[in-house]
Amino acid sequence: MSNPQQTLSIIKPDAVERNLTDEIKAIFVKNNLMIKEDKKIQISKEEAAEFYKVHQSKPFYDDLCAYLSSGPIVVMILEGENAVLHNRNLMGATDPKKADENTIRKLYGISIDKNSVHGSDSVENAKKEINFFFKS
Ligand code: CMP
């Protein structure tokens, strides 16, 4: 691998609730992103607020934190070539309506809020987000 990376992926409550976890994991594996660690958890609204604090000035922040803490989620460390960008390409645009065909959000997303998955947006944030959920 010329540029191995790790990134954090979250399968959000809407997708866990619809039993899409295994299908979404299979997409990562099929596309050469190894699942190094994974766990199903439910976080508090305060933990969600900490996780999403880069968005704290946004009008959707409160709803976003309420949503991420509303049910079980699956958090994963994905590893592979250019994993951060590769995962974002597999996820597709934030708004499922704007996502390309065959991306995870196009296939499974319900709305911009219930968009089934989260993925780190940079190598630096991937490190922070992995550490948030998988403190060593
Ligand atoms: P995610 O990749 O988890 O990062 C922040 C989340 O905020 C995003 O996915 C969306 O689910 C949610 N969100 C809600 N409204 C908006 C918006 N207008 N723009 C961007 N993200 C939004």
Side-chain angles (χ1 to χ4, degrees):
M1 255 192 278
S2 62
N3 190 24
Q5 290 176 349
Q6 290 191 335
T7 191
L8 183 91
S9 169
I10 304 177
I11 304 180
K12 296 188 181 183
D14 67 274
V16 174
E17 187 178 85
R18 287 177 288 148
N19 289 314
L20 294 169
T21 300
D22 289 346
E23 276 177 59
I24 292 174
K25 282 182 174 175
I27 293 175
F28 294 133
V29 174
K30 234 185 288 172
N31 287 279
N32 302 312
L33 286 176
M34 267 192 304
I35 299 168
K36 295 293 282 184
E37 295 207 43
D38 71 306
K39 58 185 179 186
K40 187 175 181 180
I41 55 173
Q42 182 159 3
I43 60 172
S44 66
K45 192 172 175 196
E46 290 69 32
E47 288 169 313
E50 178 64 22
F51 178 74
Y52 273 134
K53 71 170 185 252
V54 289
H55 295 298
Q56 64 191 345
S57 62
K58 311 267 174 64
F60 56 82
Y61 180 62
D62 196 55
D63 287 347
L64 176 62
C65 300
Y67 174 60
L68 196 73
S69 57
S70 67
I73 58 174
V74 175
V75 291
M76 292 167 286
I77 301 176
L78 303 181
E79 188 175 287
E81 181 74 14
N82 291 316
V84 171
L85 185 60
H86 188 30
N87 179 42
R88 290 182 70 78
N89 290 337
L90 291 176
M91 289 194 299
T94 306
D95 183 348
K97 289 201 293 279
K98 295 180 184 157
D100 288 340
E101 292 301 320
N102 289 317
T103 58
I104 295 170
R105 284 166 169 162
K106 179 71 171 189
L107 290 169
Y108 305 120
I110 296 169
S111 64
I112 195 163
D113 304 296
K114 297 184 174 180
N115 62 356
S116 300
V117 281
H118 165 85
S120 311
D121 65 0
S122 66
V123 172
E124 193 192 340
N125 283 336
K127 287 188 181 129
K128 287 186 196 156
E129 292 184 355
I130 287 170
N131 195 45
F132 184 89
F133 285 111
F134 298 93
K135 290 192 183 82
S136 42

